Amino acid sequence: MIHISGHVQDFGYLLGLEADTKGIKFYSQNLTQLFPIDEAVFGKTLEQKQEVFEPLLSSPVLSSLDIAGMTDTDVLLDKFEVAGAHYHLTIYRYNGVVYLEMEPIIEFFKQRSFVSKKYERIHNAVDSAGIWRELLSSVSEAIDYDRVMIYRFLEDGSGKVIAEKIKEGVESFMHLHYPESDIPRQARELYLKKRKRIFSDVYSEPVPIISKDPEPIDLTYSSVRAMSPVHGQYLKNTGVASSFSTSIIINNKLWGMVTCQNLEPKHIDLVNRIRAEVFTVIAANAYTSYKSAQMLSDSIELENKIGSLKSRLMAGDSLEDSLFSNIDEMRRYPDADGLAVIVHDHIRTSGEVPSDRDILQIVKYARENPLKNFYSTNDFSDSEQGNLGNLENAAGVMFGFTDDKRNELLIWFRKEIDTQILWAGNPSKQMETVVKDGIEQMVISPRKSFATYIQDIKGKSRPWKNKDVFAAKKVVATILETTYSQFRRVQELNRELKNLNEELDSFSYTISHDLGTPLTVMKLNAQLLEKSHGTNPDVKKRVTSILDEIMGMELMMRGVLDLSRAKSAQIAVEEVETRSLIEKICYDVKLTLNCPETEITVHECPTVMADKIMLIQVFLNIIGNAVKYSSKTDKPRVLINGKVVDDTVVYTVQDNGIGIAEEDQEHMFRIFHRMSNSKGFHGNGVGLSIVYRIMSRLGGFITFDSVENEGTSFHLTFLKPPGKA
């Protein structure tokens, strides 16, 4: 068990207190270097041994610590001095024990650049490669190791180096793969809990922990925990003497790691390890944001294509004719090499496909598997997949049925590709015999060579991506919809599509579940720094900058969560009186944005059909934008007027603000899009996306017209209440 090693690394010191009695439960043997203690201190509180622990008790954080009020998620930081030397102090609670970890301070925060500047560079990267490049640069500056890598876990548990920054003369590991056994399941579970880990010197002797009780000490969340001998030997075999890593957590799963290695032993100060962890969290957030925006863009593009396909399918004289006449189009949606459409025993194909005989074998396999209404694989010859041998043009297969009786189905194909995997050494498990308690045992041994090992891959196609599966299911669902008689099957596919659509909201879930706790820890510690060093203007300035960035991230979190709710929340459409609602919003917006000089004129306010809560959100966003973006003009004015137009009510919110540049206008309702002339105004590009989504759910729509530097008018079209003139 790697989390109960019973030792710490020699750079750190550990002291454990029983949470209920505050009595000393254990300590690392090297703690005697700081405090003159022996096993007689067991069961005593720090206060009872005040003459010994006086330097430690001088910590304002420790002296004011409310152990009873601590939770297992609390982490408190401070520093103290012993014999003229300064030490970091980390305090946390876990499973009824309060852990006090100490390590020397070797570098001060003021010697490094602002976190906020690095955040901007990571956040502003335009693609995933740019995000990882900026992360590597930021982490490399913080720790100054010889090799810094982005290591991504693949679906089979193995890993691959996808980005790297190395010093001159250091061997590159770029694109190398590592077998699953290098980071086994137990280690991955630990890395999900404890995000940052350091092994300062693989050649140093671990320091034992002395305890009053025989049960093992759980070091799951310890920063000074000694690494396992197997891990140490592994690093020695790679030719490095120090390692440091932080976990990349996405959607609450271990996506990968920032892995850092140094050829010589080197310890990293705690502050810079925390900075590296913060940069990694920011990069994970930016990557999730980028992927979500990319998925949203792909989804919108696919929806447009599917709408056109649906029209063509419905225009056909029969389903069979419609399918066969649109086969070329349907093949391209999931990026396939070929497509076969089967209606009963009639086959029509497009692109590069197997022979009719092989296609019928696949059809037979599909129809005989009752649980596989939709299916995809990039290795159809595998014994656990189709098990039909190597069929030409059918290494990758994806199929879906378009009727309950399984007479009609679509099969997409991908050809076999010859490729190679570059491994860091032979990935085969190496076993060796060891003697433990007088008994010989076979155990996994770390590889002794990491020379590039080339593995040829045969019989597989390019993997189907999520967007390919999503597109194929969309096509199948569209065909079902156009037949009208497949209601039950439509419901089933819609459930599957709903699960895939939920991936588009992964950004909001990542922020709320993955980023919330680190943000809280960062905020609390920054406030603690501000409180304890408030008289130092340099520290105060930098801490204020950090708090501003945290506040911005919290605002973005709330905005994206609002966007998610606007899509899924229950609504109750009713007749809503708007004047008092609008007037209160105007008052609140002027107060919130500190714009007392803005002149807001409200004319006619006819009632509308809407959900009141969502209606407030619509007007709050639109009126708030009007006030905000006109606030820097000489005489800011906002005009609000509603009028009945046929069976609708149209509200216009007009301002004399900065307007919208022509090149920005087609992107205004896209999530995270901000106007090119909006610098100097706070915002995150989410508000108009929320309004657009809400108006659609209310049965209305939103449009606008604008001239840059002259102003903007937004037009909100609602349903008119029945019986109103």
Side-chain angles (χ1 to χ4, degrees), residues 462-571:
R462 290 179 294 127
W464 301 103
K465 296 182 178 179
N466 282 342
K467 70 176 185 178
D468 296 317
V469 176
F470 184 75
K473 289 190 174 184
K474 270 287 191 183
V475 171
V476 173
T478 300
I479 295 170
L480 282 165
E481 187 177 347
T482 58
T483 63
Y484 296 108
S485 61
Q486 310 296 336
F487 179 72
R488 183 174 63 81
R489 182 70 184 108
V490 169
Q491 284 186 314
E492 180 182 336
L493 270 170
N494 279 340
R495 283 193 295 270
E496 295 177 4
L497 285 169
K498 180 181 177 182
N499 291 334
L500 282 171
N501 271 319
E502 286 175 354
E503 294 180 16
L504 298 175
D505 292 324
S506 62
F507 181 35
S508 62
Y509 291 113
T510 298
I511 291 178
S512 60
H513 297 300
D514 183 36
L515 193 57
T517 298
L519 268 181
T520 301
V521 173
M522 290 161 57
K523 187 174 182 179
L524 288 173
N525 286 314
Q527 290 171 338
L528 179 61
L529 282 172
E530 184 178 43
K531 183 177 180 181
S532 59
H533 300 282
T535 58
N536 187 323
D538 189 36
V539 172
K540 185 175 180 62
K541 178 181 176 182
R542 299 183 183 201
V543 171
T544 300
S545 175
I546 294 173
L547 287 170
D548 288 344
E549 294 296 336
I550 292 173
M551 182 64 69
M553 294 175 74
E554 287 178 336
L555 289 174
M556 181 177 289
M557 286 165 55
R558 286 196 289 270
V560 179
L561 287 171
D562 285 341
L563 181 64
S564 178
R565 294 189 190 103
K567 176 182 177 182
S568 58
Q570 295 292 323
I571 64 173

Side-chain angles (χ1 to χ4, degrees), residues 266-277:
K266 181 178 180 179
H267 182 60
I268 306 168
D269 189 81
L270 175 63
V271 169
N272 284 330
R273 302 204 304 270
I274 292 174
R275 290 175 71 239
E277 180 183 19

Side-chain angles (χ1 to χ4, degrees), residues 257-305:
M257 299 190 304
V258 181
T259 302
C260 315
Q261 298 173 340
N262 207 62
L263 302 184
E264 300 294 332
K266 181 178 180 179
H267 182 60
I268 306 168
D269 189 81
L270 175 63
V271 169
N272 284 330
R273 302 204 304 270
I274 292 174
R275 290 175 71 239
E277 180 183 19
V278 170
F279 292 141
T280 303
V281 171
I282 291 170
N285 168 40
Y287 177 78
T288 306
S289 171
Y290 164 73
K291 295 299 288 186
S292 297
Q294 189 179 59
M295 288 175 65
L296 182 60
S297 176
D298 291 342
S299 179
I300 292 172
E301 181 182 358
L302 178 61
E303 287 291 345
N304 293 333
K305 292 179 179 179

Side-chain angles (χ1 to χ4, degrees), residues 338-357:
L339 170 64
V341 176
I342 295 91
V343 179
H344 299 286
D345 289 326
H346 298 165
I347 301 174
R348 185 70 60 89
T349 63
S350 171
E352 299 179 81
V353 300
S355 65
D356 283 2
R357 177 178 174 276

